[in-house]
Amino acid sequence: MITTVLFDLDGVIRHFDPEVATRAEQRHGLAAGVIGRTAFDGSLIGGVVAGQMSRAEWVERIGDAIGSGDAAREWASQQGRIDPALPALAEELAGRGLRTAILTNGTDTIPAEVAALGLTGMFAPIFNTADLGYAKPDPRAFALVLDALGCAAQSVFFTDDSAGNVAAAAALGFPAHVFDGVEGLRAALRDHGIDVG
């Protein structure tokens, strides 16, 4: 029986405007796409989401790599937007007695970001890989979450926009769904016996 719905944050609940990077690149005379390629290169993103460096250090290293600290800071300053359908779904799930939580490949600033976005208390607990020390799709990240929740993988429905993260969770026994929009998520929840509209 599913007791918890575990959401990814970015790409599911929160979304960023890709045009912010495009405008920063154009304004600072950089090649198109260089900010994203650099920021999410394995050597950089892996360290910050596993808690091995601060977000500020990550942004500084991005700036050094692309040759423009101003462009990196401009890109990194965006808060993103919340898809209002996701908090509404979380409230609906909570009303049916399910726990709604987040597991995000995040940085040391996630608590402040969550508060600024008004998500505090709406999803609980919020698991941040920068605190866990392991990032998705590492099985150790999922194991730490299960230990904290005090339940088996089979009772935690997991959704993420990364197919690799979803595959890793499914391999551990989580009912899991690749997020492709709230209607698809609602259908997947219903397929797993969760009564949502």
Side-chain angles (χ1 to χ4, degrees), residues 21-181:
T22 300
R23 288 193 295 270
E25 288 161 350
Q26 290 172 345
R27 196 168 3 260
H28 297 280
L30 300 172
V34 70
I35 294 177
R37 286 193 304 273
T38 304
F40 299 107
D41 175 74
S43 61
L44 275 182
I45 192 67
V48 72
V49 298
Q52 297 163 0
M53 72 177 86
S54 69
R55 187 176 191 276
E57 183 179 355
W58 177 58
V59 174
E60 183 179 350
R61 288 192 186 186
I62 295 166
D64 289 345
I66 65 176
S68 175
D70 287 343
R73 287 186 291 273
E74 182 178 328
W75 166 77
S77 68
Q78 64 173 314
Q79 267 194 337
R81 64 169 183 82
I82 297 299
D83 180 345
L86 269 297
L89 175 58
E91 184 177 356
E92 187 178 344
L93 292 167
R96 285 164 170 68
L98 284 95
R99 177 168 45 189
T100 55
I102 287 174
L103 171 59
T104 180
N105 277 2
T107 74
D108 60 319
T109 61
I110 282 293
E113 292 172 38
V114 165
L117 291 165
L119 296 176
T120 305
M122 191 175 300
F123 297 87
I126 295 175
F127 298 101
N128 177 8
T129 62
D131 296 328
L132 298 177
Y134 303 103
K136 299 174 291 184
D138 192 317
R140 292 171 291 188
F142 292 103
L144 287 167
V145 167
L146 291 177
D147 186 58
L149 292 173
C151 56
Q154 291 77 10
S155 66
V156 181
F157 181 99
F158 174 68
T159 187
D160 194 302
D161 63 315
S162 163
N165 292 343
V166 169
L172 296 170
F174 287 77
H177 168 73
V178 178
F179 182 81
D180 57 356

Side-chain angles (χ1 to χ4, degrees), residues 9 12-17 78-84 117:
L9 177 60
V12 176
I13 298 169
R14 175 171 64 174
H15 301 273
F16 292 101
D17 182 358
Q78 64 173 314
Q79 267 194 337
R81 64 169 183 82
I82 297 299
D83 180 345
L117 291 165

